[in-house]
Amino acid sequence: MPAPVAPATLATHACFGGVMSFHRHDSAATRSAMRFAVYTPPQAATRRVPVLYFLAGLTCTEETFMMKAGAQRLAAELGLMLVAPDTSPREVRIAGDDASWDFGLGAGFYVDATAAPWAAHYRMYSYVTAELPALLAAHFPADPGAQGIFGHSMGGHGALVAALRNPGRYRSVSAFAPIAAPMRCPWGEKAFSHYLGADRSSWAAYDASALLAAHARGGTILVDQGTGDKFLDEQLQPDALVAAARQSGQQLELRMQPGYDHGYYFISTFIADHLRFHAERLCR
Amino acid sequence: MPAPVAPATLATHACFGGVMSFHRHDSAATRSAMRFAVYTPPQAATRRVPVLYFLAGLTCTEETFMMKAGAQRLAAELGLMLVAPDTSPREVRIAGDDASWDFGLGAGFYVDATAAPWAAHYRMYSYVTAELPALLAAHFPADPGAQGIFGHSMGGHGALVAALRNPGRYRSVSAFAPIAAPMRCPWGEKAFSHYLGADRSSWAAYDASALLAAHARGGTILVDQGTGDKFLDEQLQPDALVAAARQSGQQLELRMQPGYDHGYYFISTFIADHLRFHAERLCR
């Protein structure tokens, strides 16, 4: 594989002694221009630092987490690089990609689509797990040997799937309110039937509960879930993840947070716990 | 004055053990519906807590600070209520109010307009310094004897003016990148000429540097200003505030922050310092 071409830098902002930066590049995986955001902590001035990927939820962009989660303060203290990709291709367009808010633009579901017309560009799984890490290793002071991943909702699903399918690539994984069993909820069924086709046997490769029931990945998985989350019962189904973890013997710390909802006021409340969880596993 | 009518609650979110809430009410000062946001810290469950007002900058709403500054974490720890009003009336409309981004909607400049047609509704000074505090005291667990105020850019101007004109009402004041001498910069001249009319002698009542040159308010004023702020020289002019403070003997701690720009990545970096500054003066 040739060395990745350096991404363009769209904006930079000083932040907690480090740098927030926003980038755009031509992605081979999605055959589209893609955007992503990076927080580079001050420690990266003198050495490569561990890198923690955050996958965002439906309708979000590469900016959402960086703007709303309040993660940079502690990332600067812990010496963690934060990377947030966009949630789908944006610049290439496919008919129907903006017909609904929970599918298409802003809703790539971190799968490699196999069904037409989406298969041509909606390859967010390869983009997030392979192309983007290679780009970070080549052009940023990121330590490719110390990677962690986490995410929210659709992105919590994406993070769990990425870590369960690549146990050696990610040292740590956590999630906020993940879509834990997408094969069995309306959001997931809609997305998978379009991206992966009608044959449900192919869906299990992107279902965290199905993957986890088959194989534990070692270590602990941290999940926070608000009890006041309006999507809890129908879309998120943390019980399915608990059952799968029990089946394979995976250590899972599921924390039900009383009264918290699905938004970034919830995420910001517990972001420090997640950053410390990852730092304990990445900074050693 | 009759007791203020309770505002409607549009949304609530659990956040750091306290509650983020968004409200709407019919304002007497602006004769328009107004929106504001409140962060109520956990300590307010058992007692009235000090209240810190944040005035936002051009184009912002009541949501911006609450979403982007990362202030709730430390406010929860310190027991501070945070209140963020919108930056202008929104629901009542005046011809020309959306003709430019730096005047009218989202740009009330925290003055009581005296010139037609703006005088009918653009009375943000009275709204912020009198009506909103009375509403908070009547319907929230806010201690009206422990109030502080801060803000950003246009809102830094607003906070300084509010505190300099009402030294007994606010125990503490600070600002991020304030428009320090609006009578002498393009944003201020545009806004004041429309809101206050052509007679510049009336403008000084809303110019922090003019007010401060005439009277010190006691205590210290904290101001953070990024050196990489593109508005620094033409619009913000911290030097005018320094000169005014010297003239009246006001203690002013102006911190020039190397490389920081005008946005919320700058504010979030230094928000903890400001919250501690206010808490030292409010929580005693």
Side-chain angles (χ1 to χ4, degrees):
Chain A
M1 200 163 73
V5 176
T9 298
L10 305 175
T12 65
H13 310 275
C15 183
F16 286 98
V19 181
M20 268 307 311
S21 56
F22 293 88
H23 306 275
R24 180 179 178 278
H25 70 123
D26 293 318
S27 159
T30 66
R31 295 201 291 132
S32 170
M34 292 294 300
R35 291 176 186 237
F36 63 96
V38 178
Y39 177 66
T40 303
Q43 293 84 348
T46 53
R47 59 176 171 84
R48 285 186 177 264
V49 293
V51 54
L52 179 56
Y53 292 87
F54 184 89
L55 307 185
L58 289 166
T59 77
C60 292
T61 73
E62 72 283 4
E63 257 197 303
T64 313
F65 170 76
M66 296 299 187
M67 222 165 46
K68 295 188 176 182
Q72 293 89 348
R73 178 188 65 87
L74 196 54
E77 190 182 314
L78 298 170
L80 290 176
M81 178 176 289
L82 303 173
V83 178
D86 200 353
T87 54
S88 76
R90 300 264 176 190
E91 300 195 21
V92 71
R93 299 299 302 270
I94 292 177
D97 63 11
D98 60 353
S100 52
W101 68 275
D102 57 1
F103 178 76
L105 291 179
F109 269 84
Y110 307 104
V111 303
D112 282 350
T114 52
W118 310 102
H121 301 290
Y122 277 66
R123 302 186 69 247
M124 290 296 290
Y125 178 75
S126 290
Y127 178 70
V128 162
T129 60
E131 184 176 9
L132 193 56
L135 191 75
L136 267 289
H139 295 291
F140 292 79
D143 178 356
Q147 299 190 103
I149 192 162
F150 66 153
H152 171 230
S153 195
M154 174 182 77
H157 139 73
L160 291 170
V161 166
L164 290 168
R165 288 178 56 165
N166 304 277
R169 194 174 303 165
Y170 299 101
R171 277 203 214 156
S172 54
V173 58
S174 73
F176 296 94
I179 303 174
M183 292 177 70
R184 293 183 261 165
C185 79
W187 280 338
E189 291 184 311
K190 177 176 178 178
F192 287 8
S193 63
H194 285 93
Y195 291 138
L196 304 174
D199 175 8
R200 297 173 71 104
S201 67
S202 69
W203 296 9
Y206 294 109
D207 183 291
S209 295
L211 292 165
L212 187 56
H215 299 286
R217 68 162 247 126
T220 296
I221 298 172
L222 171 64
V223 174
D224 273 316
Q225 172 64 59
T227 64
D229 186 328
K230 68 180 172 183
F231 302 116
L232 176 53
D233 291 332
E234 188 180 20
Q235 304 283 10
L236 305 175
Q237 305 178 21
D239 293 351
L241 202 64
V242 169
R246 194 169 298 136
Q247 200 172 326
S248 64
Q250 172 69 46
Q251 284 184 41
L252 169 67
E253 186 177 359
L254 169 65
R255 310 191 307 182
M256 298 303 291
Q257 303 289 3
Y260 285 83
D261 65 19
H262 198 64
Y264 273 82
Y265 294 115
F266 157 63
I267 294 174
S268 67
T269 300
F270 301 105
I271 190 72
D273 292 349
H274 285 245
L275 293 173
R276 290 191 196 285
F277 172 88
H278 287 276
E280 282 169 14
R281 288 151 180 85
L282 295 174
C283 305
R284 57 184 183 192
Chain B
M1 201 163 69
V5 176
T9 298
L10 306 175
T12 65
H13 310 274
C15 183
F16 286 97
V19 181
M20 269 306 312
S21 57
F22 293 88
H23 306 276
R24 179 178 179 278
H25 69 122
D26 293 318
S27 159
T30 66
R31 295 200 292 131
S32 171
M34 293 293 300
R35 291 175 185 238
F36 63 96
V38 178
Y39 177 65
T40 302
Q43 294 84 347
T46 54
R47 59 175 172 84
R48 286 187 176 263
V49 293
V51 55
L52 179 56
Y53 293 87
F54 184 89
L55 306 184
L58 290 165
T59 76
C60 292
T61 73
E62 72 283 4
E63 256 198 302
T64 313
F65 170 77
M66 296 298 187
M67 223 166 43
K68 295 187 175 183
Q72 293 91 347
R73 178 187 64 87
L74 196 53
E77 189 181 316
L78 298 170
L80 290 174
M81 179 177 287
L82 302 173
V83 179
D86 200 353
T87 54
S88 75
R90 299 266 174 188
E91 299 194 22
V92 72
R93 299 298 302 269
I94 292 177
D97 64 11
D98 60 354
S100 52
W101 68 275
D102 56 1
F103 178 77
L105 291 179
F109 268 84
Y110 306 103
V111 303
D112 282 350
T114 52
W118 310 101
H121 301 289
Y122 277 68
R123 302 187 68 248
M124 290 296 290
Y125 177 75
S126 290
Y127 178 70
V128 162
T129 62
E131 185 175 9
L132 193 55
L135 191 73
L136 268 287
H139 296 291
F140 292 80
D143 178 356
Q147 298 189 106
I149 193 164
F150 67 153
H152 171 229
S153 194
M154 173 181 78
H157 139 75
L160 291 169
V161 166
L164 290 167
R165 288 177 57 165
N166 304 280
R169 194 172 306 165
Y170 299 101
R171 278 203 213 155
S172 54
V173 58
S174 73
F176 295 94
I179 302 174
M183 292 177 72
R184 293 183 260 166
C185 78
W187 279 340
E189 290 184 313
K190 177 177 178 178
F192 286 9
S193 63
H194 286 93
Y195 290 137
L196 304 175
D199 176 8
R200 298 173 69 104
S201 67
S202 69
W203 296 9
Y206 294 108
D207 183 291
S209 295
L211 291 165
L212 187 55
H215 299 287
R217 70 162 244 125
T220 296
I221 298 172
L222 171 64
V223 175
D224 273 315
Q225 172 64 58
T227 64
D229 186 328
K230 68 180 174 183
F231 301 115
L232 176 53
D233 292 332
E234 188 179 20
Q235 305 282 10
L236 304 176
Q237 306 177 22
D239 293 351
L241 202 66
V242 170
R246 195 170 295 135
Q247 198 172 325
S248 64
Q250 171 69 46
Q251 284 184 42
L252 170 66
E253 185 177 1
L254 170 64
R255 311 191 306 183
M256 298 302 292
Q257 303 289 2
Y260 285 84
D261 65 20
H262 198 65
Y264 273 82
Y265 293 116
F266 156 63
I267 293 174
S268 68
T269 300
F270 301 105
I271 190 73
D273 292 350
H274 285 246
L275 293 174
R276 289 191 197 284
F277 172 88
H278 287 276
E280 281 169 16
R281 287 152 180 84
L282 295 174
C283 305
R284 59 183 184 193

